[in-house]
């Protein structure tokens, strides 16, 4: 019903010249069918039912995220495949080293028999030396895509070393050291100039600390391992008992084991007016007072680019130095643990006087003690610390006590992100990078930044600088045990390589499963059903043709109206 006095207008039966309503209706439908036809053509030609956010905003966002993940998974798969190639390279090179060592063992076994004269033993020695040289060449040149795969395991030097040959060293006035006995003989000339020409193992050697050394000792990038001294009651304990006006550089003291009274450390027990540069120590050092990883008691000296990865215990104990007076420590780093009673510091136990300065150092070490315990310094009496930091979580100290956040003295607490930024920017010692990385290679086999997306492999192995002597049957028999130890180390590393290889293979299978499932999910959201779209295409095409035909008829309506005029 309509209200009183209101009459509905009847448009349907009216003939008009000004407005052709039928034509407008048909034009609208023609536009709709044309748009539908174009959309069907787009979907059939691209294969996607979502070609832009306008088609399905939520679906477009979800599918885009899926596409990003798919692309990342494909890169991760390539990463894993390259990881397999890298491991194959390292493993095949170690297999070649193994074959040389096995042949050398056969030759040593042959030389152990007392039926060979001097000429025959010399011939055997010649082949052994040639194979040893080839092992050294393999160790130096095995790489993958610019990455050196075989680094020295257990420690690396902070600063690069331009290793001198024996001829170059002699020309520069050095006395060459190749054996433990030659190393011990430094005490015969305490002001001499010495250089290492290979690694030295002190296992079973009754080492006497070098006292009052005032010369120059260049480790030349080699290591001295298995230095052991316990309860011998020396005044000063270490590779060097005491130095005065000396220079020590480029040497690693590996797997040290000391348990003495006072002034004990891996490198030097007591240092006076000396310089120590680019040296490191790993192992265990224990004692009563002034116990350090690198130096026990340090006076009027300079420590540059050094680190210690150690377990230190005692009083007045530090990860790097037990006691320091009028000493400068730069660009150095410690890791491991230091514990004891009083004056226990991550880097220095006691830092005496305002002439003791520490700069650009970092302590990633667990610190514990009963009194004067600090992440960097246990007791600081006027000492300064500039741009030096410690890992609060590992230090275990009371961050609300004492100066700058620790009980005692020492620097700043850092988050992992802040630490990484400082290392990246070069603010902290490069030791922090070197000691934590070694030859660790991170295979990025996931699509995220978390540790679960990485597989770590330390490719480093201490391939030996072999000095196998078969000049007589007794030395040849001794060589058998040495070669067996090298073969054991290589077999252990091959086992690591094999386990990592199996993990990467598993990763590739897992990635393929993820790619398949993710591609299926994205297909459900994105892909067009061609059968459906072709039907829609035909439907819209028919509607378009019908609209075009009817539009021609509708356009004749005004002409009919003209016939009435």
């Amino acid at each position: 019903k309509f209200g009183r006095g209101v009459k509905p207008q009847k448009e349907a039966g009216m003939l008009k010249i000004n407005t052709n309503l039928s034509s407008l209706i048909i034009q609208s439908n023609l536009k709709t069918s044309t748009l539908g036809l174009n959309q069907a053509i787009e979907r059939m030609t691209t294969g996607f039912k979502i070609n832009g956010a306008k088609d399905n905003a939520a679906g477009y966002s979800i599918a885009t995220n899926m596409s990003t993940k798919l692309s990342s998974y494909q890169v991760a798969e390539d990463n894993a495949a390259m990881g397999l190639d890298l491991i194959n390279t390292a493993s095949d090179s170690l297999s070649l080293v193994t074959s040389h060592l096995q042949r050398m063992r056969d030759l040593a076994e042959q030389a152990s028999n007392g039926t060979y004269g001097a000429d025959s033993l010399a011939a055997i020695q010649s082949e052994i030396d040639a194979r040893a040289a080839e092992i050294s060449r393999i160790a130096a040149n095995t790489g993958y895509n610019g990455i050196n795969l075989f680094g020295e395991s257990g420690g690396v030097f902070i600063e690069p070393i331009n290793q001198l040959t024996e001829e170059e060293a002699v020309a520069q006035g050095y006395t060459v050291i190749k054996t433990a006995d030659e190393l011990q003989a430094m005490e015969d000339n305490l002001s001499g100039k010495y250089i290492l020409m290979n690694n030295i193992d002190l296992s079973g050697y009754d080492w006497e600390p070098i006292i009052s050394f005032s010369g120059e000792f260049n480790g030349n990038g080699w290591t001295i391992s298995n230095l052991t001294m316990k309860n011998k009651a020396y005044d000063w304990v270490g590779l060097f008992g005491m130095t005065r006006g000396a220079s020590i550089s480029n040497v690693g003291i590996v797997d040290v084991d000391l348990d003495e009274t006072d002034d004990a450390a891996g490198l030097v027990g007591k240092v006076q007016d000396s310089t120590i540069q680019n040296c490191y120590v790993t192992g265990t050092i224990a004692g009563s007072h002034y116990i350090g990883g690198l130096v026990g008691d340090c006076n009027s000296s300079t420590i540059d680019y050094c680190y210690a990865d150690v377990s230190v215990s005692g009083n007045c104990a530090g990860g790097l130095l037990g006691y320091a007076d009028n000493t400068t420590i730069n660009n150095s780093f410690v890791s491991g643990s230091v514990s004891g009673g009083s004056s226990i510091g991550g880097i220095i136990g006691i830092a005496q006087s305002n002439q003791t300065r520490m700069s650009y150092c970092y302590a990633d070490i667990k610190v514990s003690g009963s009194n004067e315990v600090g992440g960097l310094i246990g007791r600081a009496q006027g000492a300064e610390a500039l741009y030096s930091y410690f890992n609060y979580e590992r230090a275990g100290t009371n961050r609300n006590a004492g100066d700058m956040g620790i009980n005692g003295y020492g620097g700043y607490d850092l988050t992992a992100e802040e630490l990484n930024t400082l290392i990246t920017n070069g603010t902290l010692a490069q030791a922090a990078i070197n000691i934590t990385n070694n030859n660790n290679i991170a295979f990025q086999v996931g699509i995220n930044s978390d540790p679960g997306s990485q597989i770590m492999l330390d490719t480093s192995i201490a391939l030996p600088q072999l000095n196998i002597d078969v000049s007589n049957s007794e030395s040849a028999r001794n060589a058998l045990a040495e070669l067996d130890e090298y073969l054991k180390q290589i077999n252990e590393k091959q086992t690591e390589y094999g386990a990592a290889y199996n993990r990467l293979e598993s990763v590739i299978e897992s990635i393929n499963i993820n790619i398949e499932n993710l591609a299926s999910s994205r297909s459900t959201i994105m892909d067009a059903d061609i059968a459906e779209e072709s039907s829609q295409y035909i439907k819209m095409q028919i509607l378009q043709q019908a609209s075009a035909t009817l539009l021609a008829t509708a356009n004749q309506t005004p002409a009919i109206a003209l016939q009435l005029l």
Side-chain angles (χ1 to χ4, degrees), residues 28 55 71 256 318 367 373 386 406 425 473 491:
S28 176
D55 296 330
S71 178
V256 63
V367 183
V373 180
L386 175 67
I406 64 172
N425 292 341
S473 59
N491 288 338

Side-chain angles (χ1 to χ4, degrees), residues 323-394:
Y323 174 90
D325 184 11
N326 193 25
T327 292
T328 301
I329 305 100
N330 301 315
N331 301 293
S332 296
F333 174 75
V334 291
S335 180
S337 67
V338 56
S339 61
S342 179
S343 302
I344 309 300
I347 293 181
I348 306 173
I350 296 179
Q352 185 78 21
S353 85
N354 58 10
Q355 297 302 311
T356 296
R357 294 185 175 89
M358 177 193 304
S359 62
Y360 300 102
C361 295
Y362 179 64
D364 184 22
I365 190 168
K366 181 174 178 57
V367 183
S368 60
S370 60
N371 186 37
E372 296 180 338
V373 180
L376 289 179
I377 304 173
R379 189 204 316 170
Q381 297 177 317
E384 297 181 358
L386 175 67
Y387 299 119
S388 295
Y389 305 83
F390 72 100
N391 183 334
Y392 163 73
E393 291 184 357
R394 291 209 63 203

Side-chain angles (χ1 to χ4, degrees), residues 225-228 253-258 265-266 281-285 293 310:
S225 60
N226 299 307
L227 169 63
T228 302
I253 311 300
V254 180
D255 293 333
V256 63
D257 187 6
L258 306 181
V281 174
T282 68
T284 302
I285 301 101
V310 289

Side-chain angles (χ1 to χ4, degrees), residues 37 89 108 121 153 179 198 205 208 284 304 375 399 401-402 431 462 522:
L37 181 64
T89 300
L121 291 175
S153 183
T179 68
N198 54 252
Y205 196 94
E208 298 284 336
T284 302
D304 283 331
R399 69 185 304 167
R522 188 186 67 165

Side-chain angles (χ1 to χ4, degrees), residues 203-259:
S203 296
Y205 196 94
D206 189 15
W207 179 255
E208 298 284 336
I210 307 298
I211 305 297
S212 297
F213 182 73
S214 59
E216 178 183 345
F217 179 81
N218 183 354
N220 202 27
W222 301 105
T223 63
I224 298 170
S225 60
N226 299 307
L227 169 63
T228 302
M229 287 183 285
K230 297 190 176 184
N231 303 316
K232 291 190 175 183
Y234 292 108
D235 290 333
W236 306 293
V237 179
L239 180 72
F240 295 89
M242 192 265 283
T243 65
R244 189 185 302 274
S247 172
I248 302 174
S249 62
N250 305 325
V251 66
I253 311 300
V254 180
D255 293 333
V256 63
D257 187 6
L258 306 181
D259 190 356

Side-chain angles (χ1 to χ4, degrees), residues 274-298:
S274 299
T275 299
I276 299 175
Q277 185 173 24
N278 207 28
C279 298
Y280 70 87
V281 174
T282 68
T284 302
I285 301 101
S288 179
H289 293 82
Y290 304 141
I291 311 300
L294 188 78
V295 174
D297 185 340
C298 191

